[in-house]
Amino acid sequence: MPSDSAPNAARKMTTHVWQAKKVHGEPITMLTGYDYPTAVALDRAGIDGILVGDSLGMVVLGYDNTLPVTMQDMIHHCRAVARGAKRALLVGDLPFMSYQASVSEATRNAGRLMQKGGMDAVKLEGGRERVPAVRSIVEAGIPVMGHIGLTPQSVHQLGGWKVQGKSAVAARRLIEDALILEDAGCFSVLIEAVPEELAALITQRLAVPVISVGAGAGCDGQCLVVHDVLGFFDRFTPHFVKRYGDIFSHMSEAFGAYIDDVRSRRFPAPEHSHAMDAQEYRELVREIEMLEAELESEGTAPDRLQ
Ligand code: KIV
């Protein structure tokens, strides 16, 4: 029997494989993804997990923050990703107010991301205050990823996009929250924008995989927003992002070249057009001429034929 972490490009990633990766000290790779082609490319590259994050509200839909994102938005994008990615572990984000108001709503919405969205797991933001929701979702048979540190759905309460857990008191509270989430049944905890020392301490204390978003190298895995990685977002790039592409510039160049080609009639060229069979075309011209002559003799030809 191969071990749970044996390398096999075609093997479906599960929460169990992730757990085995933590045990064997193999870094877990994750990026966000929101559409079919990106999901196909991520899957082919061999990514371990795709997070359909509510960050799509900012990088795809153009909102200032993630708060306007709805369950419908999430299901729409989850379905597209699920159609493209067959190997990666797919984690769908529960959007703002889909899980905070009641435990039954949280459980039902988590179920929708699985059933309608085709996800393998869900993610929600918050620490100890989320225990009832996490327990209920896990009891429904749905794997849950916790998310602590900078939790973007609480951006107004946090006073902006700020690094969290900088003081000893705040850091200790985050360590407690991570342990509480693990105890409630989370299969993994994502930590965003906290000092690397704190993230490393949490990673050492948790049995489940800890994934970093701007939380340093001491975690079990790394996740970033795919638009930041590709240089596909025009507004800002967080300081903790490493950019591997400049898609936005390539896109602008390509659009400019297309506009020039159309205006200067370089596009479409013959190879971009469909030609009609010459005999069929001659016949068509003859038929049009006959029709025009008929209409003219009846005096019913439209103005443009007279
Ligand atoms: O929505 C998202 O993409 C996220 C990541 C930034 C962790 O929550």
Side-chain angles (χ1 to χ4, degrees):
M1 281 281 284
S3 88
D4 262 355
S5 66
N8 178 347
R11 191 145 153 265
K12 172 68 186 166
M13 284 287 132
T14 64
T15 58
H16 294 253
V17 180
W18 274 34
Q19 183 61 46
K21 280 180 175 281
K22 167 145 186 155
V23 170
H24 292 107
E26 294 170 20
I28 297 167
T29 59
M30 188 178 215
L31 285 170
T32 65
Y34 316 106
D35 56 46
Y36 172 83
T38 309
V40 171
L42 287 169
D43 221 36
R44 286 200 188 150
I47 199 95
D48 297 323
I50 300 178
L51 171 64
V52 187
D54 63 354
S55 51
L56 67 86
M58 299 176 73
V59 299
V60 176
L61 303 178
Y63 295 127
D64 288 337
N65 55 51
T66 59
L67 272 59
V69 177
T70 64
M71 274 300 294
Q72 279 86 350
D73 293 331
M74 291 308 303
I75 290 169
H76 178 77
H77 287 274
C78 284
R79 286 166 74 100
V81 169
R83 283 192 286 269
K86 303 299 170 206
R87 177 185 172 274
L89 181 75
L90 304 182
V91 183
D93 229 353
L94 282 163
F96 182 56
M97 288 321 292
S98 69
Y99 59 93
Q100 290 92 338
S102 80
V103 167
S104 61
E105 236 183 309
T107 312
R108 222 174 293 283
N109 283 325
R112 290 170 73 201
L113 287 188
M114 306 289 284
Q115 202 168 39
K116 293 185 190 299
M119 295 290 100
D120 302 318
V122 301
K123 175 170 86 56
L124 50 73
E125 297 182 8
R128 63 200 70 196
E129 69 281 13
R130 297 291 164 242
V131 166
V134 171
R135 283 198 195 286
S136 173
I137 297 170
V138 171
E139 273 166 22
I142 300 170
V144 179
M145 175 182 250
H147 179 166
I148 56 173
L150 172 53
T151 45
Q153 291 172 19
S154 310
V155 64
H156 296 303
Q157 197 171 49
L158 298 176
W161 313 94
K162 295 178 180 162
V163 175
Q164 301 296 304
K166 290 206 290 192
S167 71
V169 172
R172 185 191 159 138
R173 193 175 164 83
L174 284 174
I175 295 174
E176 286 169 3
D177 277 342
L179 289 164
I180 289 168
L181 286 171
E182 177 179 66
D183 188 55
C186 283
F187 78 90
S188 172
V189 175
L190 181 145
I191 314 182
E192 180 167 352
V194 304
E196 58 183 342
E197 297 87 341
L198 168 59
L201 285 174
I202 292 174
T203 306
Q204 288 153 20
R205 277 161 181 73
L206 258 58
V208 298
V210 174
I211 306 298
S212 153
V213 176
C219 294
D220 300 306
Q222 297 293 327
C223 178
L224 287 173
V225 169
V226 74
H227 284 52
D228 292 336
V229 167
L230 295 176
F232 193 14
F233 185 53
D234 62 323
R235 301 219 296 263
F236 60 86
T237 305
H239 82 277
F240 54 77
V241 167
K242 182 170 174 186
R243 257 170 73 162
Y244 293 83
D246 194 3
I247 296 287
F248 199 81
S249 303
H250 289 314
M251 220 164 65
S252 304
E253 271 170 38
F255 295 157
Y258 169 77
I259 291 165
D260 282 352
D261 273 5
V262 172
R263 287 188 179 148
S264 63
R265 301 188 186 282
R266 279 192 301 270
F267 177 84
E271 66 267 29
H272 306 120
S273 309
H274 302 284
M276 202 167 171
D277 176 80
Q279 173 62 28
E280 295 291 336
Y281 182 65
R282 276 196 297 278
E283 205 157 304
L284 174 67
V285 170
R286 218 175 20 250
E287 277 185 26
I288 290 173
E289 284 167 359
M290 279 162 57
L291 177 67
E292 287 173 349
E294 232 170 80
L295 292 172
E296 214 169 339
S297 69
E298 287 170 6
T300 55
D303 285 351
R304 68 180 186 284
L305 294 180
Q306 287 173 343

